Amino acid sequence: SNDPMAIFLTVTLVQLLVHPSGNAGWSILTELLQQMGLGLVLGFAGGYLLSQSLKLSLPSSLYPLLALAGALSIFGATNLIGGSGFLAIYIAGVMIGNRSLPFGNDIHRFHDGMAWLSQIGMFLMLGLLITPSNLLPMVLPATAIALVLIFVARPVAVAVSLLPFHFPRREQVFIAWCGLRGAVPIILALFPTLAGLEHMRGYFELVFFVVLISLVLQGWTIAPVARWLQLELPPPLQEPEHQTMKICQDQAKDLLLYEAVPGSHAVGMLGKHLPLSEGGQLVGIVRHGIMIENPKEQKLEPGDRVMLLVAEGGSPAITRAFALSPMLDKDKFFGEFVIKPDALLSDLGLMYFFSVDAQHRQQTVAEYILQQFHKKPVVGDRVQFGPVKFIVKEMVGDRIASVGLKLSR
């Protein structure tokens, strides 16, 4: 989401260098308003129109192509009238990606393949543009610039930018460590060269080397730094692979086909006990290529294919049942006990033998956590209270739904 702004700044400043203006500040401001304003408007409008178009009755093979053609049209049309095509297509992509669409899985898989193809082509192009022997004179200046960016410029910028939002120190350190990695800065370094500015070839190679240093130093250490700062969360439950078929658009019903994989909660469960939402039905169970009789009374075995008729959008409970349960040591991260967020600190003090001062006795755990994190806690946030530590385990909207408690050892 920050790429549209980076692209805007690069293109605008290059244009000012090529065609100097007497009032550069005003030019940048008007260009910013035009680019971002049109990008926002056309992004929302294009995203809405394209999402409605993807609900038309079409052959299944045309949905991914329609999504791709619509995306290119939104990007191109926004650029043609002077807006930010990158911002417009980002907004449209977010809108479409968060809607329940017929053959949505097919669209996602197609665009995942297109994204990989685009990245392969981009890095192949960058590889052809770089001459390794030209990088040697850049080693010392690029290393110095990279170290200043990593240890001075980015931490200062992050601290100033996040000052109004009261981020905990550990999170600010982690955000500061997630630095300049990826191909976008290298691509942007090509713009001055393409515009015909003098002495710009060296800047492209300099940026390439700086990104390479950041990638090696910061990219490979993100996970260890997250663990060191105690910010690493247990992996979330992944949505299981399944097939979706739209069978009746009038009633907004989907036919889903799941596989009962070893390690999922569905294995060993009776068909009639599957957590179907209201109106959902178990259609059948296919075992070894044969539809078995009386599926509701059958225990699911590993490898079974289960057909379900559910309301459009599926059911979160079904997703959890067929997802592979991650092997987690939850006690290690969320603590030994789970407590209700509305529990009083004074009651917890009596139960776990720690003292609570007068100002906190009538305060609940949720209120204390909200106070410590300026009413903006997220899952994984932790705060020490005497000999115990509270960890936010689950959020429902802006409300704390579950809290873990860890005892000091």
Side-chain angles (χ1 to χ4, degrees), residues 368-389:
Y368 180 74
I369 295 175
L370 289 171
Q371 178 184 345
Q372 299 303 310
F373 292 99
H374 302 276
K375 299 184 179 182
K376 295 292 183 181
V378 295
V379 173
D381 278 346
R382 55 184 63 204
V383 59
Q384 191 79 32
F385 188 87
V388 300
K389 185 177 290 184

Side-chain angles (χ1 to χ4, degrees), residues 48-226:
Y48 175 77
L49 292 175
L50 184 54
S51 62
Q52 296 302 311
S53 301
L54 289 170
K55 293 182 179 179
L56 298 174
S57 180
L58 298 170
S60 59
S61 59
L62 291 183
Y63 286 102
L65 297 178
L66 175 60
L68 178 62
L72 294 174
S73 299
I74 293 170
F75 178 84
T78 307
N79 275 340
L80 279 175
I81 63 174
S84 171
F86 294 97
L87 180 60
I89 196 59
Y90 172 77
I91 293 172
V94 170
M95 292 178 63
I96 295 168
N98 285 284
R99 287 178 180 252
S100 178
L101 298 170
F103 301 98
N105 288 335
D106 294 335
I107 296 173
H108 280 255
R109 282 192 288 266
F110 174 79
H111 281 272
D112 185 53
M114 291 299 297
W116 276 105
L117 179 62
S118 301
Q119 291 182 80
I120 291 170
M122 180 173 60
F123 282 107
L124 177 63
M125 179 191 72
L126 292 177
L128 293 173
L129 290 173
I130 285 294
T131 304
S133 59
N134 292 343
L135 295 178
L136 294 177
M138 301 291 177
V139 171
L140 292 179
T143 301
I145 291 173
L147 293 177
V148 170
L149 283 173
I150 293 171
F151 294 105
V152 180
R154 185 175 173 89
V156 170
V158 167
V160 172
S161 301
L162 299 183
L163 192 61
F165 303 103
H166 306 289
F167 271 72
R169 283 290 174 208
R170 291 181 293 110
E171 294 184 15
Q172 291 192 41
V173 171
F174 183 72
I175 294 170
W177 190 251
C178 299
L180 190 71
R181 301 175 316 281
V184 172
I186 306 174
I187 296 293
L188 295 180
L190 282 172
F191 283 27
T193 305
L194 296 175
L197 296 177
E198 296 181 357
H199 311 299
M200 287 297 158
R201 179 66 191 180
Y203 286 101
F204 171 70
E205 291 158 347
L206 184 68
V207 170
F208 183 92
F209 203 89
V210 169
V211 172
L212 190 63
I213 294 173
S214 177
L215 179 65
V216 172
L217 180 59
Q218 294 175 295
W220 284 359
T221 57
I222 281 183
V225 168

